[in-house]
Amino acid sequence: MLYSSLIIVVKTELAYSLMFLNTDESRNAACSLFPSMASLLKRKKDHGRAGALLIVESRQTKS
């Protein structure tokens, strides 16, 4: 039950964060924060992965 609640929270945050960034902005922001992941963020359709990385970063800075 906790696992499904966590997934809902992450999906909600991902949707919210991607609402304000276009695909290029989210990928560029994720590449600058995670240079080792840049090869996984080359394509425009990798914006979901970039958004997830940005959520991880925002969670770590809040803690």
Side-chain angles (χ1 to χ4, degrees), residues 22-58:
N22 68 30
T23 57
D24 292 329
E25 290 172 338
S26 63
R27 288 186 306 111
N28 289 336
C31 284
S32 67
L33 291 171
F34 300 95
S36 63
M37 302 290 286
S39 64
L40 299 173
L41 303 169
K42 290 181 196 174
R43 306 170 301 171
K44 278 199 181 264
K45 64 181 182 179
D46 292 331
H47 70 286
R49 183 178 292 155
L53 288 169
L54 294 174
I55 288 173
V56 167
E57 179 63 24
S58 71

